[in-house]
């Protein structure tokens, strides 16, 4: 109850607005005048507030094109009078003919035409001050876009003609000289090699200045994730080279050379896992990242080396090299070996690949020498295979969603082809195909309620189930697959209940996501999947799981906790599965 008087006071305007005003104009004036902080105690205070409110009202009227106004501050009657502002707005002035006057040398015809088009002021439109000012900014940006980096606006002249109620702006623009770009100049000490930096320039030597090119260079450097800050700017006019070119100056603040990370996990089936990672940044002086990962767990243990070279050979292209010694113990098989791989990922930006953003193409190859222990499909006798696997990779991904970890609208599609040559007991070539489509449909503008769905398909060609080693087959079940089932629990089993795996895979998920607050959200979901021994999936033995989840927003993405149960239980699966991870399930 004590808060009620102050709440009422906060809603009390500083002055009452009187007069015949259009609704939108009255609302704008009321916002500008604002609310009173304390009650009026005497007539002197009332007059002061009325004068202040009148000045605020005049500012709004002029900005909205009302120049023939009559604004009178006044006070009411009584010992504690109200502050009043009586307003007669008069007619709204219209735009007349806008003019462009050039100070100094004229720019080229293309820049002249672009500047004229950029004004976009139509005679007869309301003479709003904001529109007049914005037009000047558009003119400067249009001229700068065409190579005139030093263009600037001199004080403009705006004539308000009360005879015909028009506003006539006259812009005075100094274009300056046409600027041509030189190479990149590194203006900071650090580990980055200037020679590597040169190939990131999105312009050719001597090309006309374009602010978008300078911004693109900054984006390319920030994308490497090895710099604390990046500053890219055109060198001042005094630094022009003898051949008339201007360098682009880059300043880099590099992050710490090394980081050490440690982590631990616990799985009710596989027990405790620990891992540690040492990372070295910009070791080679080309924004590279080198890391050593050590991991120990019942499911996966490994020592792994990774090297990432962003903007390799060409901008927006990353070369990733990997080597590892590993051991895997899964319900379906045990495997230990050594592998090496390389991947090259090229990213396209906006207006490329039919205008799609988030477009990636990856190609690469790998070699894997391993020992695989599995069971024979019919005999259940232990089989030990010594294998050398050569695999190629082609992967395409189109991402048109609005957020990588918490999408609320848009769609994603990916396709992956892995031609493989298996050697060991014999020679077997086959191809592994996978594809996934997901979509996100919001039910409101903010995306507080979203319907999300995905479909994933996979197939292995040119090989029988017995020919394909167990680690290369498809499996399903788990937090990123069919929730409600444990890891590798979906699909056919051998006579002793060991997961068999398959040559085909089909998965689908539907989620209804609802955000309760900025931090908390709820999810209801249904997952389904099947694994088959034939090249194409059969849906006769479909495993279905359903459940509920909680989401907590960490700022960059949500942490998720999902509880799921099998709807179609065939082998006595556990009645409840719990999954914890970062980011939405898809």
């Amino acid at each position: 109850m004590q808060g009620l008087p102050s709440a009422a006071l906060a809603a009390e305007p500083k002055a009452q607005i009187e007069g015949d005003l259009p609704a939108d104009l009255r609302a704008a004036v009321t916002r500008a005048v604002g609310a009173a902080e304390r009650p009026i105690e005497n007539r002197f205070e009332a007059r002061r507030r009325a004068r202040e409110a009148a000045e605020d009202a005049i500012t709004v009227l002029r900005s909205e094109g009302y120049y023939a106004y009559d604004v009178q501050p006044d006070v009411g009657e009584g010992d504690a009078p109200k502050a009043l502002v009586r307003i007669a707005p008069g007619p709204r002035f219209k735009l007349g003919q806008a003019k462009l006057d050039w100070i100094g040398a004229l720019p080229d015809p293309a820049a002249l035409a672009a500047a004229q088009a950029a004004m976009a002021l139509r005679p007869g439109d309301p003479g709003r001050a904001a529109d007049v000012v914005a037009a000047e900014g558009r003119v400067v940006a249009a001229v700068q876009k065409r190579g005139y980096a030093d263009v600037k606006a001199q004080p403009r002249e705006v004539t308000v003609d009360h005879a015909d109620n028009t506003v006539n702006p006259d812009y005075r623009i100094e274009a300056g000289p046409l600027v041509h770009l030189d190479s990149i100049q590194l203006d900071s000490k650090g580990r980055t090699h200037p020679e590597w930096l040169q190939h990131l320039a999105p312009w050719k030597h001597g090309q006309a200045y374009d602010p978008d090119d300078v911004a693109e260079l900054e984006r390319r450097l920030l994308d490497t994730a090895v710099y604390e800050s990046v500053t890219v700017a055109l060198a001042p006019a005094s630094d022009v080279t003898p051949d008339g070119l201007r360098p682009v100056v880059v300043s880099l603040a590099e992050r710490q050379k090394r980081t050490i990370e440690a982590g631990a996990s616990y799985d009710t089936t596989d027990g405790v896992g620990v891992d540690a990672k040492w990372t070295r940044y910009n070791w080679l002086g080309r924004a590279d990242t080198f890391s050593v990962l050590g991991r120990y767990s019942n499911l996966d243990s490994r020592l792994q080396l990774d090297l990432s070279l962003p903007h390799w050979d060409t901008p927006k292209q990353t070369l990733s090299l990997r080597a590892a010694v590993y051991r895997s113990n899964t319900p379906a098989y045990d495997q230990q070996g050594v592998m090496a791989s390389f991947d090259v990922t090229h990213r396209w930006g906006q207006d490329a690949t039919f205008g799609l953003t988030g477009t990636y193409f990856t190609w690469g190859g790998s070699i894997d020498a391993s020992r695989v222990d599995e069971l024979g499909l019919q005999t259940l006798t232990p089989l030990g295979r010594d294998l050398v696997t050569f695999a190629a990779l082609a992967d395409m991904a189109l991402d048109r969603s609005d957020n990588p970890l918490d999408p609320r609208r848009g769609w994603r599609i990916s396709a992956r082809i892995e031609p493989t040559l298996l050697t060991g007991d014999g020679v077997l070539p086959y191809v592994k195909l996978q594809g996934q489509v997901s979509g996100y449909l919001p039910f409101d503008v903010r995306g507080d309620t979203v319907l999300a769905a995905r479909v994933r398909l996979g197939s292995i060609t040119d090989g029988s189930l017995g020919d394909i080693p167990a680690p290369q087959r498809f499996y399903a079940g788990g937090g990123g697959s069919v929730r409600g089932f444990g890891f590798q629990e979906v699909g056919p089993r051998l006579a002793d209940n060991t997961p068999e795996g398959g040559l085909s895979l089909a998965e689908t998920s539907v989620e209804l996501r609802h955000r309760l607050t900025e931090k908390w959200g709820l999810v209801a979901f249904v997952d389904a999947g099947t694994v088959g021994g034939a090249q194409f999936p059969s849906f006769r033995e479909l495993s279905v799981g359903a459940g509920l989840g909680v989401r907590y927003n960490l700022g960059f993405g949500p942490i998720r906790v999902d509880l799921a149960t099998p709807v179609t239980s065939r082998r006595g699966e556990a009645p409840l599965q719990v999954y914890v991870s970062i980011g939405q399930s898809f």
Side-chain angles (χ1 to χ4, degrees):
M1 295 294 293
Q2 292 176 348
L4 290 179
S6 60
L9 176 61
E12 183 73 19
K14 185 186 294 184
Q16 293 183 359
I17 307 301
E18 296 183 354
D20 186 13
L21 282 74
D24 57 344
L25 181 60
R26 180 180 291 275
V29 170
T30 301
R31 286 194 300 270
V33 168
E37 297 179 357
R38 54 187 176 84
I40 296 175
E41 297 179 352
N42 51 58
R43 298 183 68 82
F44 175 80
E45 177 68 16
R47 289 191 186 95
R48 185 183 67 81
R49 292 193 184 182
R51 288 195 297 268
E52 291 176 353
E55 292 173 358
D56 294 335
I58 289 172
T59 300
V60 173
L61 290 166
R62 293 180 65 86
S63 69
E64 293 296 324
Y66 294 89
Y67 294 95
Y69 53 81
D70 182 20
V71 177
Q72 299 294 331
D74 201 354
V75 296
E77 301 297 331
D79 294 334
K82 299 288 186 182
L84 306 175
V85 178
R86 295 187 174 91
I87 300 175
R92 193 174 202 178
F93 282 49
K94 306 296 183 181
L95 285 172
Q97 191 65 43
K99 294 194 304 179
L100 270 177
D101 290 333
W102 296 94
I103 309 300
L106 291 176
D108 59 45
L112 284 172
Q116 194 68 39
M119 277 197 302
L121 294 178
R122 296 181 302 178
D125 283 354
R128 298 178 67 250
D131 294 339
V132 172
V133 174
E136 183 179 73
R138 291 194 298 270
V139 169
V140 171
V143 176
Q144 190 178 65
K145 172 73 175 174
R146 281 147 186 86
Y148 295 86
D150 303 316
V151 60
K152 56 185 176 181
Q154 300 293 348
R156 60 186 171 272
E157 296 180 358
V158 181
T159 303
V160 178
D161 192 337
H162 288 261
D164 58 2
N165 297 335
T166 60
V167 177
N168 304 280
D170 185 358
Y171 300 110
R172 305 171 73 242
I173 308 298
E174 184 178 352
L178 181 63
V179 174
H180 295 271
L181 295 178
D182 193 24
S183 57
I184 298 172
Q185 177 181 314
L186 182 59
D187 188 28
S188 56
K189 295 181 179 180
R191 303 183 296 275
T192 300
H193 291 167
E195 295 80 6
W196 171 77
L197 194 61
Q198 297 301 329
H199 96 288
L200 292 186
W203 63 84
K204 295 180 179 179
H205 190 262
Q207 180 179 316
Y209 168 82
D210 186 336
D212 290 344
D213 288 339
V214 175
E216 174 62 21
L217 175 59
E218 183 171 323
R219 280 193 295 270
R220 291 178 181 182
L221 288 166
L222 288 171
D223 283 347
T224 65
V226 303
Y227 301 109
E228 292 287 352
S229 66
V230 175
T231 302
V232 181
L234 185 66
S238 58
D239 290 350
V240 63
T241 64
D243 51 356
L245 305 180
R246 295 263 290 275
V248 173
V249 181
V250 174
S251 298
L252 303 173
E254 301 193 17
R255 63 183 300 170
Q256 292 294 325
K257 290 183 180 180
R258 306 173 186 87
T259 60
I260 298 177
E261 304 168 56
S265 62
Y266 175 73
D267 187 287
T268 54
T269 302
D270 299 310
V272 176
V274 294
D275 60 74
K277 186 177 183 180
W278 177 87
T279 304
R280 177 72 154 82
Y281 298 101
N282 212 8
W283 198 350
L284 305 178
R286 43 141 17 263
D288 51 280
T289 301
F290 175 72
S291 65
V292 181
L293 170 68
R295 175 183 296 147
Y296 176 81
S297 69
N298 289 340
L299 183 64
D300 178 56
S301 298
R302 65 180 54 231
L303 177 63
Q304 181 172 297
L305 309 179
D306 287 278
L307 176 62
S308 175
L309 303 175
H311 306 301
W312 176 76
D313 188 48
T314 185
K316 298 185 180 181
Q317 184 166 273
T318 300
L319 171 64
S320 299
L321 304 175
R322 172 173 295 175
V325 179
Y326 65 91
R327 186 196 69 197
S328 301
N329 296 318
T330 76
Y333 59 86
D334 294 337
Q335 184 181 23
Q336 55 187 349
V338 59
M339 61 81 64
S341 69
F342 77 92
D343 295 330
V344 177
T345 299
H346 191 89
R347 176 174 59 87
W348 283 272
Q350 196 168 4
D351 301 324
T353 316
F354 308 105
L356 298 176
T357 57
T359 305
Y360 303 86
F361 178 74
T362 300
W363 59 272
S366 66
I367 179 172
D368 187 308
S370 64
R371 170 77 177 185
V372 177
D373 295 312
E374 57 183 292
L375 295 179
L377 297 180
Q378 304 300 328
T379 63
L380 299 184
T381 56
L383 297 178
R385 300 193 190 189
D386 292 315
L387 304 173
V388 178
T389 305
F390 301 90
L393 167 68
D395 184 284
M396 173 69 81
L398 309 180
D399 189 346
R400 291 286 282 167
S401 64
D402 61 341
N403 189 297
L405 292 177
D406 189 16
R408 296 178 185 173
R409 50 178 49 85
W411 52 269
R412 300 171 180 169
I413 183 171
S414 63
R416 185 181 183 94
I417 303 175
E418 296 176 86
T420 304
L421 179 65
L422 190 67
T423 65
D425 297 336
V427 177
L428 175 65
Y430 63 90
V431 179
K432 192 172 187 177
L433 307 170
Q434 298 181 70
Q436 179 166 297
V437 177
S438 58
Y440 312 93
L441 177 64
F443 288 95
D444 51 77
V445 175
R446 281 170 41 92
D448 288 338
T449 303
V450 176
L451 179 65
R454 77 171 179 104
V455 175
R456 180 188 175 205
L457 299 173
S459 176
I460 296 176
T461 66
D462 302 325
S464 67
L465 189 62
D467 293 333
I468 304 298
Q472 308 298 328
R473 301 171 193 162
F474 287 110
Y475 299 89
S481 177
V482 182
R483 287 164 290 184
F485 298 84
F487 180 64
Q488 295 183 341
E489 282 190 354
V490 172
R493 303 287 187 93
L494 301 179
D496 67 346
N497 210 35
T498 298
E500 183 178 293
L503 300 180
S504 60
L505 168 74
E507 293 177 354
T508 185
S509 300
V510 178
E511 286 191 349
L512 185 62
R513 304 169 181 171
H514 181 67
R515 185 170 57 178
L516 299 173
T517 67
E518 289 299 321
K519 291 292 186 181
W520 293 96
L522 294 176
V523 171
F525 58 85
V526 176
D527 294 347
T530 182
V531 174
Q535 181 177 343
F536 299 103
S538 171
F539 297 93
R540 288 175 297 181
E541 294 189 3
L542 195 65
S543 297
V544 181
L548 299 173
V550 177
R551 305 290 185 265
Y552 179 78
N553 186 11
L554 298 172
F556 61 89
I559 185 171
R560 65 183 176 100
V561 180
D562 290 336
L563 284 74
T565 185
V567 177
T568 56
S569 179
R570 296 185 179 90
R571 305 179 184 90
E573 291 86 357
L576 184 67
Q577 297 279 345
V578 182
Y579 310 95
V580 182
S581 185
I582 293 178
Q584 297 287 3
S585 57
F586 61 90

